[in-house]
Amino acid sequence: MAETEGGAGEGEELGAPKSKLKLIIIAVSALAILSGGAAAYFFLSGKKGEEQHAEAAPPQKPPAFVEVPDLLVNLVGNPGDRVQYLKVKVVLEVKEEKQVEQIKPTLPRVSDIFQTYLRELRPSDLNGSAGLFRLKEELTKRVNVALAPNQVNAVLFKEIVVQ
């Protein structure tokens, strides 16, 4: 009988760790399900609040545009190379329509600033999209200096031809 009691004692000891392991697995699973449900509720209810805030904001006015006269300049090249030309059609983007009327009288100044800068460029300065991006940023910076109280959001290219 001693063997039977010893065998039963070992079975209980082996059964206890298995039941504890099952209890831990059930607890972790329940915790994962609850945290998943809480996360889903948080994210789904948060979107409704953002949509309500977006609807409450007043609609933005569309930007206004100012046409700059076409520019045709020769680019700087090495002596003996053929002369290359740059033709650019530019539009200035401003926030409001009333700024257009304030900028129009200063368009000769804007054209002069653009001409002066563009005449110093080399054909290699305009290579690739990075070159055009740098040109756009530089023109935006220069036009904002020229139109000091007014600000231009962006300089937009309608046409660029290097010949």
Short mmCIF file of all heavy atoms in Angstrom, two decimals, residues 15-16 42 44-45 67 71 76 92 95 112 119 127-128 148 157 159 162:
data_model
loop_
_atom_site.label_atom_id
_atom_site.label_comp_id
_atom_site.label_asym_id
_atom_site.label_seq_id
_atom_site.Cartn_x
_atom_site.Cartn_y
_atom_site.Cartn_z
N GLY A 15 -0.19 16.65 -11.37
CA GLY A 15 -1.45 17.28 -11.77
C GLY A 15 -1.50 18.75 -11.38
O GLY A 15 -2.06 19.57 -12.08
N ALA A 16 -0.90 19.11 -10.28
CA ALA A 16 -0.94 20.49 -9.81
C ALA A 16 -0.20 21.43 -10.75
O ALA A 16 -0.72 22.49 -11.09
CB ALA A 16 -0.37 20.57 -8.39
N PHE A 42 -10.72 52.13 -28.17
CA PHE A 42 -9.99 53.40 -28.10
C PHE A 42 -9.76 53.97 -29.49
O PHE A 42 -10.02 55.14 -29.76
CB PHE A 42 -8.66 53.19 -27.37
CG PHE A 42 -7.80 54.41 -27.34
CD1 PHE A 42 -8.10 55.47 -26.51
CD2 PHE A 42 -6.68 54.50 -28.16
CE1 PHE A 42 -7.31 56.59 -26.48
CE2 PHE A 42 -5.88 55.62 -28.14
CZ PHE A 42 -6.19 56.66 -27.31
N LEU A 44 -11.24 53.14 -32.44
CA LEU A 44 -12.46 53.39 -33.21
C LEU A 44 -13.23 54.58 -32.68
O LEU A 44 -13.81 55.34 -33.45
CB LEU A 44 -13.33 52.14 -33.24
CG LEU A 44 -12.74 50.94 -33.99
CD1 LEU A 44 -13.68 49.75 -33.87
CD2 LEU A 44 -12.48 51.28 -35.44
N SER A 45 -13.26 54.77 -31.39
CA SER A 45 -13.98 55.92 -30.84
C SER A 45 -13.16 57.19 -31.05
O SER A 45 -13.73 58.27 -31.15
CB SER A 45 -14.27 55.71 -29.36
OG SER A 45 -13.06 55.69 -28.61
N GLU A 67 0.20 85.40 -62.02
CA GLU A 67 1.03 85.04 -63.17
C GLU A 67 2.21 86.00 -63.25
O GLU A 67 2.05 87.21 -63.18
CB GLU A 67 0.23 85.16 -64.47
CG GLU A 67 -0.87 84.14 -64.61
CD GLU A 67 -0.40 82.86 -65.27
OE1 GLU A 67 0.66 82.86 -65.92
OE2 GLU A 67 -1.11 81.87 -65.10
N LEU A 71 9.95 84.28 -68.56
CA LEU A 71 11.36 84.67 -68.45
C LEU A 71 12.19 83.84 -69.42
O LEU A 71 12.04 82.62 -69.48
CB LEU A 71 11.85 84.44 -67.02
CG LEU A 71 11.08 85.17 -65.92
CD1 LEU A 71 11.48 84.64 -64.56
CD2 LEU A 71 11.33 86.65 -66.00
N VAL A 76 24.92 80.41 -67.73
CA VAL A 76 26.37 80.53 -67.70
C VAL A 76 26.98 79.23 -68.17
O VAL A 76 26.60 78.15 -67.72
CB VAL A 76 26.85 80.84 -66.26
CG1 VAL A 76 28.36 80.86 -66.19
CG2 VAL A 76 26.27 82.15 -65.78
N LEU A 92 2.89 82.48 -58.94
CA LEU A 92 3.06 82.62 -57.49
C LEU A 92 1.76 82.24 -56.79
O LEU A 92 0.69 82.70 -57.18
CB LEU A 92 3.43 84.07 -57.14
CG LEU A 92 4.63 84.66 -57.85
CD1 LEU A 92 4.80 86.12 -57.46
CD2 LEU A 92 5.88 83.87 -57.55
N LYS A 95 -2.08 83.21 -50.29
CA LYS A 95 -3.18 82.72 -49.47
C LYS A 95 -4.54 83.30 -49.87
O LYS A 95 -5.52 82.59 -49.93
CB LYS A 95 -2.93 83.05 -48.00
CG LYS A 95 -1.84 82.24 -47.37
CD LYS A 95 -1.69 82.58 -45.91
CE LYS A 95 -0.53 81.80 -45.32
NZ LYS A 95 -0.31 82.15 -43.92
N ASP A 112 12.65 91.18 -62.11
CA ASP A 112 14.06 91.57 -62.03
C ASP A 112 14.85 90.64 -61.11
O ASP A 112 15.95 90.19 -61.45
CB ASP A 112 14.17 93.01 -61.53
CG ASP A 112 15.61 93.45 -61.38
OD1 ASP A 112 16.34 93.44 -62.40
OD2 ASP A 112 16.01 93.79 -60.25
N ARG A 119 20.18 84.18 -64.36
CA ARG A 119 21.32 84.40 -65.24
C ARG A 119 22.62 83.84 -64.65
O ARG A 119 23.59 83.66 -65.37
CB ARG A 119 21.50 85.88 -65.56
CG ARG A 119 20.46 86.39 -66.50
CD ARG A 119 20.75 87.82 -66.90
NE ARG A 119 19.70 88.31 -67.78
CZ ARG A 119 19.68 88.10 -69.09
NH1 ARG A 119 20.64 87.43 -69.66
NH2 ARG A 119 18.70 88.58 -69.83
N ASN A 127 19.78 70.07 -63.30
CA ASN A 127 19.66 68.63 -63.58
C ASN A 127 18.81 67.94 -62.52
O ASN A 127 19.01 68.13 -61.32
CB ASN A 127 21.04 67.97 -63.62
CG ASN A 127 21.79 68.32 -64.88
OD1 ASN A 127 21.20 68.77 -65.86
ND2 ASN A 127 23.09 68.11 -64.87
N GLY A 128 17.87 67.15 -62.96
CA GLY A 128 17.07 66.30 -62.07
C GLY A 128 16.04 67.07 -61.27
O GLY A 128 15.95 68.30 -61.31
N ALA A 148 8.11 91.93 -49.08
CA ALA A 148 8.23 91.82 -47.63
C ALA A 148 6.94 91.76 -46.82
O ALA A 148 6.76 90.79 -46.12
CB ALA A 148 9.13 92.93 -47.10
N PHE A 157 6.03 76.12 -61.13
CA PHE A 157 6.50 76.15 -62.51
C PHE A 157 5.39 75.65 -63.43
O PHE A 157 4.86 74.57 -63.24
CB PHE A 157 7.72 75.24 -62.69
CG PHE A 157 8.94 75.69 -61.93
CD1 PHE A 157 9.60 74.83 -61.09
CD2 PHE A 157 9.42 76.98 -62.06
CE1 PHE A 157 10.72 75.23 -60.40
CE2 PHE A 157 10.54 77.39 -61.37
CZ PHE A 157 11.20 76.52 -60.53
N GLU A 159 6.10 75.92 -66.87
CA GLU A 159 6.91 75.39 -67.96
C GLU A 159 8.37 75.73 -67.70
O GLU A 159 8.69 76.83 -67.25
CB GLU A 159 6.47 76.04 -69.28
CG GLU A 159 7.21 75.56 -70.48
CD GLU A 159 6.74 76.22 -71.77
OE1 GLU A 159 5.65 76.82 -71.78
OE2 GLU A 159 7.47 76.14 -72.75
N VAL A 162 15.08 74.04 -71.10
CA VAL A 162 16.50 74.34 -71.24
C VAL A 162 16.88 73.94 -72.66
O VAL A 162 16.73 72.79 -73.05
CB VAL A 162 17.36 73.56 -70.22
CG1 VAL A 162 18.83 73.85 -70.43
CG2 VAL A 162 16.93 73.91 -68.81
#
